Amino acid sequence: EGEPDLYEYTVPSAALPSGGLVDLTADANPGANPGEPEHGDARGILGVGGEGAEAGSYVYFIAAGKLTPNAPTGQCATGSGGEATGTGCKLYLHHDATTTYIATLSPEDEEGFGKGFAGKSLFDWSPLLFVRSAEVSPNGRYVAFGSRVPLTGQPGEPFEQKSGIDIPGAEIFRYDADATANGEQPIVCVSCG
C-alpha cells in the first residue's frame, strides 16, 4: 500500500473484446523473500518501443520488487530528500507477456548525469520526459541508458575523487532484447575505453 505499481492496458479488439489490464510489477513469488516488498515498487519508465502491430509492446522500466526469479533481492529505498538509497533499483523489460530482468542499477544513477533542459538534472527514469536520459529504439529491441555500475566488468573513470569522496563515473550501456537468443552478450558498454 502506498507504493506505485505499473500497469499495461490493452485496448479492446476482436481477440480481446473487453481489453485487458495487467500489473507489470506484480511480485513473481510473493512471500518467498522476507524483507522484499510484496509489490513492484515501480520507480519509472525508461521508454516504450515497438513498430506496427507491435507498437508499445516493449516496456522498459525500473522497479524495486523481485519481479523475476533471477532478479536479486534488495530494495530501492528512498531517502528523506527523495534520493535513492538502496541497492535494488532493477531494470526490467516487459514484452510478449514476459518480464525480463536486465540489470541492477546504482542509487547514484537516480541522482542524474548532468544538466538538461532548463538546468534540470538528466535521469534514466525521470517521470519528466524532457529530463530523461535513457532512449529506446523505435522497434523496441534496444535501450541505451547510463549507469555508474560496471555492468560489463569494465570499470569507468572516477567522476569525483577527493578526500573521502569517490563517486564512480557513469558509462553508457546498450541492451539488446534479442542478443541472448542470438548467442550474444545482451549488455554492451558503448562508452567504455
Side-chain angles (χ1 to χ4, degrees):
E1 186 174 330
E3 299 294 340
D5 279 5
L6 180 65
Y7 295 90
E8 175 182 65
Y9 177 70
T10 304
V11 297
S13 66
L16 198 61
S18 299
L21 184 64
V22 176
D23 183 350
L24 301 184
T25 50
D27 194 309
N29 196 2
N33 303 298
E36 278 289 299
E38 292 290 321
H39 51 78
D41 194 7
R43 293 302 173 121
I45 297 175
L46 267 70
V48 178
E51 298 173 318
E54 290 272 303
S57 66
Y58 289 82
V59 181
Y60 292 90
F61 64 95
I62 301 292
K66 183 177 174 70
L67 306 181
T68 64
N70 67 328
T73 58
Q75 296 187 32
C76 185
T78 304
S80 59
E83 74 281 3
T85 58
T87 58
C89 298
K90 300 166 197 77
L91 171 57
Y92 291 100
L93 164 63
H94 184 79
H95 177 67
D96 284 343
T98 301
T99 299
T100 303
Y101 165 73
I102 297 173
T104 299
L105 304 177
S106 164
E108 289 86 14
D109 291 347
E110 198 172 13
E111 294 174 6
F113 295 105
K115 299 297 181 187
F117 180 76
K120 300 277 187 186
S121 289
L122 297 171
F123 301 87
D124 269 344
W125 62 89
S126 171
L128 303 173
L129 289 175
F130 64 88
V131 296
R132 187 178 303 146
S133 62
E135 290 290 333
V136 175
S137 64
N139 66 5
R141 178 178 171 181
Y142 304 100
V143 62
F145 61 97
S147 181
R148 290 180 171 86
V149 177
L151 298 174
T152 59
Q154 298 165 286
E157 293 295 320
F159 173 71
E160 188 173 350
Q161 210 171 21
K162 59 185 179 185
S163 61
I165 299 175
D166 186 13
I167 300 174
E171 298 291 351
I172 303 300
F173 298 91
R174 185 198 73 204
Y175 171 78
D176 179 350
D178 294 342
T180 302
N182 296 334
E184 300 168 355
Q185 289 294 331
I187 299 176
V188 295
C189 181
V190 297
S191 65
C192 293

